[in-house]
Amino acid sequence: MESLNDISKEIVKCTLCELCLKRTNAVPGEGNEKADIVVIGEAPGKNEDLQGRPFIGMSGKFLTKNLESLNIKRDSVFITNAVKCRPPNNRKPKKEELDKCRSYLVRQLSSINPKLILALGTSAATSLGIEFKHLSEIKGKVIDISLNGKKFKCLVTFHPSFPMRFPSARKAFLSDLSMAFNLYKNLST
Ligand code: URA
């Protein structure tokens, strides 16, 4: 099985799409290589691009705070994104960018083999091949997915920027995170 480190080395040199032209750093992801839970966001923002680390800006702080409120240490999970380079002005990644970057995500998931994938928002869900018209159809549900013949369980919730902006969604976000971590505990026993 290839190591996360080998995959990261490829990601930082990637030129598969035009997002490479404007990046300062690609952001492969970070955390526990043997994590039971992999958290997938959308794409690096400004701070992430500058430092080459995922979720270290405002939405990252919000995510980390929510994880910690459930007693989950950030470094116990693996955190990555659907696309590894920052889209200009933080626009949503285009379909072709998600498509080009998907193989890195699938390889990372195969290498880690987590018990549960936590997909934050529509780009992460799309990248995992989940079909939906609106996030509400899949939010808070455990979905069985198959990537390169390997089966995974996935729970989809909001991207943290949504509950950050709309406080009324914070309870639902935290309750989805809590469900994900309780589910993973049940999968482990
Ligand atoms: N938003 C994301 O989806 N990922 C990051 O790393 C930062 C912000």
Side-chain angles (χ1 to χ4, degrees), residues 8 30 49 134 189:
S8 296
E30 69 181 20
D49 171 72
H134 194 271
T189 51

Side-chain angles (χ1 to χ4, degrees), residues 8-189:
S8 296
K9 281 187 191 152
E10 267 184 59
I11 293 173
V12 297
K13 288 190 288 185
C14 179
T15 55
L16 286 178
C17 82
E18 63 179 22
L19 293 182
C20 70
L21 300 175
K22 298 223 166 111
R23 74 177 172 225
T24 315
N25 290 293
V27 183
E30 69 181 20
N32 182 354
E33 292 193 13
K34 298 197 177 114
D36 287 321
I37 299 177
V38 171
V39 180
I40 305 174
E42 181 170 275
K46 186 174 176 204
N47 294 297
E48 291 78 14
D49 171 72
L50 288 174
Q51 291 194 41
R53 296 181 54 211
F55 277 112
I56 51 161
M58 296 261 282
S59 57
K61 292 203 169 78
F62 182 80
L63 173 66
T64 305
K65 194 179 91 187
N66 275 273
L67 292 176
E68 283 174 355
S69 78
L70 297 169
N71 267 332
I72 297 137
K73 293 215 170 69
R74 182 183 155 111
D75 59 9
S76 70
V77 299
F78 188 81
I79 303 181
T80 187
N81 282 300
V83 301
K84 315 300 192 201
C85 297
R86 182 189 182 199
N89 301 318
N90 298 340
R91 64 156 168 76
K92 245 183 147 44
K94 296 177 186 165
K95 185 177 177 305
E96 56 267 32
E97 292 160 354
L98 291 173
D99 287 345
K100 289 268 163 66
C101 224
R102 177 173 300 122
S103 72
Y104 294 124
L105 183 63
V106 172
R107 286 165 61 196
Q108 288 175 315
L109 290 167
S110 299
S111 173
I112 301 170
N113 198 22
K115 298 206 166 61
L116 185 75
I117 299 169
L118 182 63
L120 305 176
T122 53
S123 294
T126 302
S127 208
L128 294 168
I130 299 171
E131 288 184 12
F132 61 98
K133 287 214 174 71
H134 194 271
L135 189 76
S136 59
E137 293 159 34
I138 51 171
K139 190 201 137 305
K141 295 193 180 130
V142 180
I143 300 169
D144 290 308
I145 58 172
S146 173
L147 300 169
N148 273 356
K150 231 176 168 163
K151 294 198 161 92
F152 296 94
K153 294 221 175 280
C154 176
L155 192 134
V156 184
T157 188
F158 300 128
H159 186 276
S161 58
F162 185 76
M164 228 173 75
R165 221 169 127 212
F166 300 101
S168 60
R170 288 183 189 172
K171 208 168 145 198
F173 179 67
L174 190 60
S175 122
D176 285 343
L177 293 192
S178 165
M179 196 208 299
F181 291 97
N182 286 327
L183 175 72
Y184 132 73
K185 278 188 224 142
N186 289 336
L187 292 171
S188 308
T189 51

